[in-house]
Amino acid sequence: MKQPLIIDVHGHYTTAPKALEEWRNKQIANLKTPELGPKVSELKISDDELRESIEANQLRLMKQRGSDLTIFSPRASFMAHHIGDFNTSATWAGICNELCHRVSQLFPDHFIGAAMLPQSPGVDVATCIPELEKCVKEYGFVGINLNPDPSGGHWTSPPLSDRYWYPIYEKMVEHEIPAMIHVSTSCNACFHTTGAHYLNADTTAFMQCLTSDLFKDFPTLKFLIPHGGGAVPYHWGRFRGLAQEMKKPLLTEHLLNNIYFDTCVYHQPGIDLLTHVIPVDNILFASEMIGAVRGIDPETGHYYDDTKRYIEAAGRLSEQDRFKIYEGNARKVFPRLDKALQQKGQ
Amino acid sequence: MKQPLIIDVHGHYTTAPKALEEWRNKQIANLKTPELGPKVSELKISDDELRESIEANQLRLMKQRGSDLTIFSPRASFMAHHIGDFNTSATWAGICNELCHRVSQLFPDHFIGAAMLPQSPGVDVATCIPELEKCVKEYGFVGINLNPDPSGGHWTSPPLSDRYWYPIYEKMVEHEIPAMIHVSTSCNACFHTTGAHYLNADTTAFMQCLTSDLFKDFPTLKFLIPHGGGAVPYHWGRFRGLAQEMKKPLLTEHLLNNIYFDTCVYHQPGIDLLTHVIPVDNILFASEMIGAVRGIDPETGHYYDDTKRYIEAAGRLSEQDRFKIYEGNARKVFPRLDKALQQKGQ
């Protein structure tokens, strides 16, 4: 059997040159006086700086760990859609997406883009469509990150099943792009960003889909739930039982033609559970490297987020299963990625 | 080896006679005109009605499944601390706790109480102490349920590590009672109560403890995190890694002298993961029966919430381990339960 292409569907540009953060800090300082800048043109990052930030970090680790291609989006915790208004988010999303695009141009074999959207709490999501379409049509991006809680931990938007979100879904279906459902930094003191808010959002999003008939309205809509699906696989029996009480179809039928889980679960027992409970057709390889958990696990001597090791060691998986997790499912969920690879003869 | 006593540490009075709900509905209807009633004395539930509501439900299933004793508290989703003000909650908590007390008097071998508190968003938690002490001293209750989010899904209270909560912790330590960290119904449309809010709260509470040094201030404080710890065991590597980044001690040392998990995980792979990842000394048997998931799993032919079956089938557990999960750990975490059992020669 042909060696699979190892596609990591969940990488963020967490290592962007410092100038990006400095620009953002100025933007935040002038939220009420945007005329004082900074202008987009004031941000100057050279190709060499981009190259260096990637070669020394993500690309180095990809080579070490043996992954080939990363679906690369702006840093999730920096999206911070709760800051400022739509214009704040629009400018910021434009900058961050362009940087990911430039990375994908500099390293076309190793990175392909996914867009952050210029969401802003309470604002019509149709306002995100121009940025979405620019990223798809001009940058060749293959997916988006959709934030179900642009308020940053106050959960003031309607559930994902609400028609509020439908303008985005219509565009996703039209352009054949999936959404990774990914929140950003928490500004609610109750929720630690990467230790609570991220995982809670994953569970919440899944349950919003479960209680609704969203995928009857959008039979080809695809959501990728990151961080191994939050609490969902661990509580798969609870979710099956709740769906049963609500007279919903079996979850395989009700949700699993539309919902996929990544493998950002940072220990072997977690991956073993994920691959036991969730059908292999619904699992996509990912590490979120370089992300929230950067250290080396003293129990194994390897990086916590070196999730490929766990997939390799997961005893239940056949070679065919691993092919799906590494490559096949990503091509299915991200049809534009598949086309881009085919155009390169891959 | 002696057969363990099977102690279920997580049961709610979800089957109380209809009159209770009717009384509550009247209370809610008159929130702004409490002088219109209802009075506490208007609620009339006979011992026979209580007996029937238990014998036909919880006790019947306990006998069927082979569990002996349930730590029994008012229905979690009905606590609804967000409704009304402190007086609303105080009256309601008083009624609900008294009913659990009466159940424990009617079936002293099978039920022992844990208290709901009259929490109210934004109100000093010291106001809960009289009800807490009444339940401990007069009713012989052995634990409390502490709601980390009395707002019902808006998360407006400070994290559990905040000094806001300390008056409760001081009383818990003084009276040697643990708290189960349990939210109530969600009034935020984003969060399904039992499919998202409960699990999110479990994860959130754990992370609030992880990022803090709460247990340095209260070395003997004990928290029971229900629903198998939310997402925590599934993401144990993430939590170990996050603690490491924050230069916290190993989780075993930092949290596991104070934090315990119950076994309300409704499928075998979840219990297998829990018992693999979390030290057996930190796992307490529970089912939350009769609770959120009442059906029969078509994959097994047994009730989803018949968690004893999963513990029995968990291959990693020795007889000694099962003794701890069923009885030993409950006696350790609930010292007043242990004393009550000893007084009965158990």
Side-chain angles (χ1 to χ4, degrees):
Chain A
M1 191 170 167
K2 165 178 165 294
Q3 280 295 312
L5 204 63
I6 311 293
I7 303 170
D8 185 332
V9 298
H10 187 175
H12 301 294
Y13 196 7
T14 51
T15 59
K18 199 77 181 160
L20 180 68
E21 189 175 350
E22 288 163 3
W23 189 95
R24 174 68 161 170
N25 288 341
K26 283 186 207 155
Q27 187 196 34
I28 294 169
N30 285 330
L31 277 183
K32 294 197 173 141
T33 49
E35 66 281 7
L36 299 180
K39 292 183 187 150
V40 173
S41 57
E42 285 174 42
L43 176 65
K44 294 192 197 311
I45 298 177
S46 69
D47 283 356
D48 278 351
E49 286 173 292
L50 290 182
R51 255 188 225 105
E52 200 179 316
S53 75
I54 294 290
E55 280 173 349
N57 294 300
Q58 287 86 352
L59 194 57
R60 176 178 62 83
L61 290 168
M62 286 165 68
K63 286 180 174 167
Q64 257 181 30
R65 300 179 187 182
S67 84
D68 298 304
L69 174 64
T70 296
I71 298 182
F72 204 55
S73 58
R75 187 172 191 170
S77 63
F78 274 28
M79 296 190 299
H81 294 118
H82 63 280
I83 294 176
D85 57 16
F86 170 73
N87 287 321
T88 316
S89 282
T91 312
W92 178 233
I95 285 175
C96 292
N97 286 327
E98 195 201 5
L99 284 179
C100 287
H101 172 54
R102 286 174 63 196
V103 168
S104 75
Q105 297 293 99
L106 292 169
F107 302 98
D109 290 340
H110 298 299
F111 295 92
I112 193 160
M116 74 173 269
L117 299 179
Q119 294 176 247
S120 194
V123 175
D124 182 349
V125 294
T127 56
C128 296
I129 292 173
E131 181 69 24
L132 183 159
E133 295 204 307
K134 181 185 74 186
C135 289
V136 171
K137 293 179 184 170
E138 294 177 28
Y139 294 168
F141 281 16
V142 298
I144 58 171
N145 294 342
L146 184 64
N147 183 349
D149 172 30
S151 77
H154 296 288
W155 292 91
T156 55
S157 293
L160 290 171
S161 51
D162 193 276
R163 300 189 75 87
Y164 170 78
W165 301 97
Y166 278 26
I168 295 284
Y169 300 159
E170 285 159 10
K171 285 294 162 185
M172 287 169 59
V173 168
E174 178 188 336
H175 295 301
E176 290 194 294
I177 51 172
M180 183 161 68
I181 307 300
H182 204 308
V183 287
S184 185
T185 201
S186 160
C187 59
N188 182 326
C190 286
F191 302 129
H192 184 273
T193 296
T194 55
H197 190 43
Y198 281 17
L199 303 175
N200 292 351
D202 303 335
T203 310
T204 300
F206 183 83
M207 196 63 197
Q208 290 175 354
C209 296
L210 189 155
T211 53
S212 77
D213 291 314
L214 174 61
F215 301 121
K216 283 194 181 153
D217 281 358
F218 294 99
T220 62
L221 189 68
K222 294 205 181 334
F223 287 166
L224 177 61
I225 304 198
H227 321 108
V232 171
Y234 176 48
H235 287 283
W236 196 239
R238 169 178 283 259
F239 291 99
R240 288 196 291 110
L242 288 170
Q244 191 171 315
E245 305 258 312
M246 294 175 206
K247 317 278 186 220
K248 298 288 184 187
L250 291 177
L251 293 184
T252 41
E253 188 188 324
H254 182 48
L255 298 178
L256 294 188
N257 296 311
N258 306 89
I259 289 184
Y260 300 83
F261 300 95
D262 81 8
T263 66
C264 294
V265 179
Y266 297 152
H267 64 153
Q268 189 69 48
I271 291 289
D272 289 345
L273 177 123
L274 173 69
T275 54
H276 180 179
V277 165
I278 302 298
V280 73
D281 288 332
N282 293 77
I283 303 174
L284 278 68
F285 174 68
S287 69
E288 200 169 5
M289 174 275 290
I290 295 169
V293 182
R294 301 183 180 197
I296 289 173
D297 185 344
E299 294 184 8
T300 64
H302 300 295
Y303 286 102
Y304 287 102
D305 65 3
D306 187 357
T307 53
K308 186 157 170 273
R309 287 183 178 273
Y310 312 133
I311 304 292
E312 291 300 314
R316 291 176 177 274
L317 298 175
S318 67
E319 210 181 337
Q320 178 63 30
D321 291 340
R322 288 198 183 85
F323 177 83
K324 289 179 175 179
I325 292 173
Y326 286 137
E327 174 178 348
N329 296 340
R331 286 182 184 263
K332 184 179 66 179
V333 175
F334 293 85
R336 284 179 172 266
L337 169 67
D338 184 44
K339 280 176 202 148
L341 289 170
Q342 285 189 31
Q343 279 171 8
K344 296 203 283 186
Q346 287 183 299
Chain B
M1 191 170 167
K2 165 175 165 298
Q3 280 294 314
L5 204 63
I6 312 292
I7 304 171
D8 185 331
V9 298
H10 187 174
H12 302 294
Y13 196 7
T14 50
T15 60
K18 199 76 182 161
L20 181 68
E21 189 175 349
E22 288 163 4
W23 189 95
R24 175 66 160 171
N25 288 340
K26 282 186 206 153
Q27 186 194 35
I28 294 170
N30 285 330
L31 277 183
K32 294 198 172 140
T33 50
E35 66 280 7
L36 299 180
K39 292 184 188 152
V40 174
S41 57
E42 287 174 40
L43 176 64
K44 295 192 198 307
I45 298 177
S46 70
D47 283 356
D48 278 350
E49 287 173 291
L50 289 182
R51 255 188 225 104
E52 201 179 315
S53 75
I54 294 289
E55 278 172 350
N57 294 299
Q58 287 85 353
L59 194 57
R60 176 179 62 84
L61 290 168
M62 285 165 68
K63 286 181 174 166
Q64 258 181 31
R65 299 180 187 180
S67 83
D68 299 303
L69 174 64
T70 296
I71 299 182
F72 203 55
S73 58
R75 187 172 191 169
S77 64
F78 274 28
M79 296 191 298
H81 294 119
H82 62 280
I83 294 175
D85 58 16
F86 170 74
N87 287 320
T88 315
S89 282
T91 312
W92 179 232
I95 285 175
C96 292
N97 285 328
E98 195 201 5
L99 284 180
C100 287
H101 172 55
R102 286 174 62 197
V103 169
S104 74
Q105 297 293 99
L106 292 170
F107 303 97
D109 290 339
H110 297 299
F111 295 94
I112 193 161
M116 73 172 268
L117 300 179
Q119 294 177 247
S120 193
V123 176
D124 182 350
V125 293
T127 55
C128 296
I129 292 174
E131 181 69 23
L132 183 159
E133 295 204 307
K134 180 185 76 186
C135 289
V136 171
K137 293 178 184 171
E138 294 176 28
Y139 294 167
F141 281 17
V142 298
I144 58 171
N145 294 343
L146 184 65
N147 183 348
D149 172 31
S151 77
H154 296 288
W155 293 91
T156 54
S157 293
L160 291 171
S161 50
D162 192 276
R163 301 189 74 86
Y164 169 77
W165 301 97
Y166 279 25
I168 295 285
Y169 300 158
E170 285 159 9
K171 286 293 162 186
M172 288 169 59
V173 168
E174 178 188 335
H175 295 301
E176 291 193 295
I177 52 171
M180 183 161 68
I181 307 299
H182 204 308
V183 287
S184 184
T185 201
S186 160
C187 59
N188 182 326
C190 285
F191 302 127
H192 184 273
T193 296
T194 55
H197 190 43
Y198 281 16
L199 303 175
N200 293 350
D202 303 335
T203 309
T204 299
F206 183 84
M207 196 63 197
Q208 290 176 354
C209 296
L210 190 155
T211 53
S212 77
D213 290 314
L214 173 61
F215 301 121
K216 282 195 180 152
D217 281 358
F218 294 99
T220 62
L221 189 68
K222 293 206 183 335
F223 286 166
L224 177 60
I225 304 198
H227 321 109
V232 172
Y234 175 48
H235 286 282
W236 196 239
R238 169 177 283 259
F239 290 99
R240 288 197 289 109
L242 287 169
Q244 190 171 315
E245 305 258 312
M246 293 174 205
K247 317 279 185 217
K248 298 286 183 189
L250 291 177
L251 293 184
T252 41
E253 186 188 325
H254 181 48
L255 298 178
L256 294 188
N257 296 312
N258 306 87
I259 288 183
Y260 299 83
F261 300 95
D262 81 7
T263 65
C264 294
V265 179
Y266 297 152
H267 64 154
Q268 189 69 47
I271 292 290
D272 289 345
L273 176 122
L274 173 69
T275 53
H276 180 180
V277 164
I278 302 298
V280 73
D281 288 332
N282 294 76
I283 302 173
L284 277 69
F285 174 68
S287 69
E288 198 168 8
M289 175 275 291
I290 296 170
V293 182
R294 302 182 180 198
I296 288 173
D297 185 345
E299 294 183 8
T300 65
H302 300 293
Y303 287 101
Y304 288 103
D305 66 2
D306 187 356
T307 53
K308 184 156 169 275
R309 287 183 179 273
Y310 312 133
I311 305 292
E312 291 301 314
R316 293 176 175 273
L317 298 176
S318 67
E319 212 182 336
Q320 178 62 30
D321 292 339
R322 288 198 184 84
F323 178 83
K324 288 179 175 179
I325 292 173
Y326 286 137
E327 175 179 349
N329 296 339
R331 286 182 184 263
K332 184 179 66 180
V333 174
F334 293 85
R336 285 178 172 268
L337 169 67
D338 184 44
K339 280 176 201 148
L341 289 170
Q342 285 188 31
Q343 278 170 9
K344 296 202 283 183
Q346 286 183 298

